[in-house]
């Protein structure tokens, strides 16, 4: 299935990269690469991620990668990555979510 990174999720990746780059540009690149590679697993096995507890509806799922949550929404024709947030963050603290 096709995976689409929303503008919000892309901006989250850019912010993660910018923050980590302050200390280590190489580690920032590796972190973002690992996060984006998760979309391959999501495309092949969309329901392998767990339900997001804050929503508890079947099509809203997440994959954990290191300290980050890759949150996605399964639609009939594609999967939208809607957010990439640090595990310590509250999902509802990101006002630009696109669900």
């Amino acid at each position: 299935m096709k995976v689409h990174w929303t503008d919000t999720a892309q901006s989250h990746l850019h912010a993660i990269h910018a923050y980590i780059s302050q200390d280590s540009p190489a580690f920032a690149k590796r972190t973002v690469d690992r996060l984006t590679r998760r979309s391959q697993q999501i495309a092949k096995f969309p329901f392998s991620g767990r339900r997001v507890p804050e929503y508890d509806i079947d099509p809203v799922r997440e994959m954990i990668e290191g300290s980050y949550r890759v949150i996605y929404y399964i639609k009939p024709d594609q999967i939208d990555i809607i957010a990439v947030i640090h595990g310590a963050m509250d999902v509802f603290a990101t006002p630009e979510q696109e669900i």
Side-chain angles (χ1 to χ4, degrees):
M1 190 173 306
K2 180 184 172 198
V3 175
H4 168 73
W5 285 79
T6 63
D7 291 341
T8 300
Q10 289 180 39
S11 70
H12 291 167
L13 284 177
H14 291 295
I16 290 165
H17 186 274
Y19 180 75
I20 297 172
S21 285
Q22 295 173 18
D23 293 323
S24 174
F27 184 67
K29 182 182 180 335
R30 283 195 307 270
T31 299
V32 170
D33 286 347
R34 284 194 335 262
L35 289 166
T36 57
R37 275 198 307 267
R38 278 297 186 163
S39 63
Q40 295 170 357
Q41 180 181 355
I42 291 167
K44 291 180 184 175
F45 307 103
F47 288 96
S48 64
R50 73 176 188 160
R51 288 172 119 174
V52 175
E54 294 89 345
Y55 289 102
D56 198 29
I57 57 173
D58 207 39
V60 179
R61 302 270 174 157
E62 69 182 349
M63 290 279 182
I64 307 298
E65 179 58 51
S67 299
Y68 295 95
R69 300 167 69 184
V70 179
I71 301 172
Y72 58 98
Y73 182 66
I74 304 169
K75 296 179 174 179
D77 58 335
Q78 73 179 21
I79 299 165
D80 288 342
I81 308 274
I82 56 175
V84 182
I85 63 171
H86 193 276
M89 285 182 62
D90 180 358
V91 167
F92 299 116
T94 54
E96 67 272 16
Q97 284 184 342
E98 298 177 359
I99 293 183

